[in-house]
Every structure is written in structure tokens, then in C-alpha cells.
Amino acid sequence: ENVTCVKCFQEFNEYGRPSQEDFYRWLPSFQNYNLTALCPMTGTAYLNNVLFDDSDTEPRILTSRLSYYHTILSTQADYINALRTVYDLSDAISEEYGVDVFCYSLWYVFFEQYLYIDTTVAVTLGLALSTFICVCFVIT
């Protein structure tokens, strides 16, 4: 244990979070510490991931980027279910906190089409069938 390490937050709210004042007071220090074995959660790795609005008297976070990891995905169904879960989670966060959450990963771009393929196939077949029926009706 590092004896020179001082706790940033002495008090927490009912959700286990620091007060807004403490958070913003310690955030610049957090962002400028280097990652070490003693403190692997400090901020130089996160320095470019948070955009602040310093124009107000109180600082505000405009945007932030957070990394996350999936469990090992081996089948196509795993990827599709993981994508569906991430979208559900981001919708829940957006609704609960009133912020826009946008999830992105390279493989999301490919697998997103599989979320809507059932509807796309049904609409395409329905249009093709209705067109065929109309042409047959006009010809006869």
C-alpha cells in the first residue's frame, strides 16, 4: 500500500459517488497522473476522452468516451446478441440520465444489418408478391 497516496474523495453520496464539487476539483489531477501499478486507474490514458465546457462558472463535461469490453464472442449469434444488448443498455442509460449514448465498434457496422433482416425480408417479399399479383390482375 502506498502511504503517500491521499484519498481524493472523503465523502460519498447515497449512490457511492463523490459530490459534484469534489469530482470537478479532483478531475484535473486525475487526468494528469500517469498509469502505474500502484494506481492503474489514473488519467493520462483518458486525457483526450473528455471534453469540457469551461465557459460557465461551473465546469461541465460536454462529451466523454468510455471503453468497454465484451466477453469472448465466437458465433454469429453471439455478436448479434451482444449488439442487441449494447443497444438496449445505451437506450436505458440515455433514458435514465437524459444523455445521448452512442455505441460504436467496427463489427457493429457489419452485424447491425442482422438486427433488421427479418423485417427487411418480409417487406421485400410483400412488395414483390403484391407487385406480382397486381401485374397478374392487369394482364388478365
Side-chain angles (χ1 to χ4, degrees):
E1 184 175 321
N2 187 354
V3 293
T4 62
C5 185
V6 177
K7 282 187 176 182
C8 298
F9 308 113
Q10 301 301 322
E11 296 181 21
F12 297 94
N13 63 17
E14 65 271 15
Y15 303 109
R17 303 282 185 195
S19 69
Q20 184 173 351
E21 296 81 26
D22 282 346
F23 177 79
Y24 282 112
R25 183 177 70 213
W26 287 100
L27 189 60
S29 297
F30 169 81
Q31 287 189 304
N32 291 319
Y33 289 138
N34 288 322
L35 292 166
T36 65
L38 294 174
C39 197
M41 297 174 59
T42 54
T44 53
Y46 305 102
L47 193 55
N48 294 324
N49 292 343
V50 180
L51 179 62
F52 292 97
D53 176 15
D54 295 328
S55 63
D56 293 339
T57 55
E58 289 186 17
R60 291 184 317 129
I61 295 176
L62 294 176
T63 62
S64 64
R65 182 177 63 205
L66 303 173
S67 298
Y68 60 91
Y69 299 93
H70 290 281
T71 57
I72 296 173
L73 305 172
S74 56
T75 67
Q76 186 170 349
D78 290 342
Y79 281 96
I80 294 167
N81 290 331
L83 179 59
R84 189 173 285 126
T85 302
V86 166
Y87 282 171
D88 290 344
L89 180 61
S90 67
D91 289 344
I93 291 170
S94 294
E95 190 174 310
E96 183 173 342
Y97 294 104
V99 296
D100 294 328
V101 177
F102 178 75
C103 299
Y104 176 78
S105 176
L106 287 175
W107 59 266
Y108 290 176
V109 177
F110 177 75
F111 282 101
E112 187 169 14
Q113 65 186 324
Y114 292 103
L115 295 177
Y116 310 106
I117 198 162
D118 300 347
T119 305
T120 304
V121 167
V123 168
T124 303
L125 289 176
L127 287 172
L129 185 60
S130 63
T131 302
F132 177 76
I133 290 172
C134 286
V135 169
C136 287
F137 181 72
V138 168
I139 290 177
T140 58

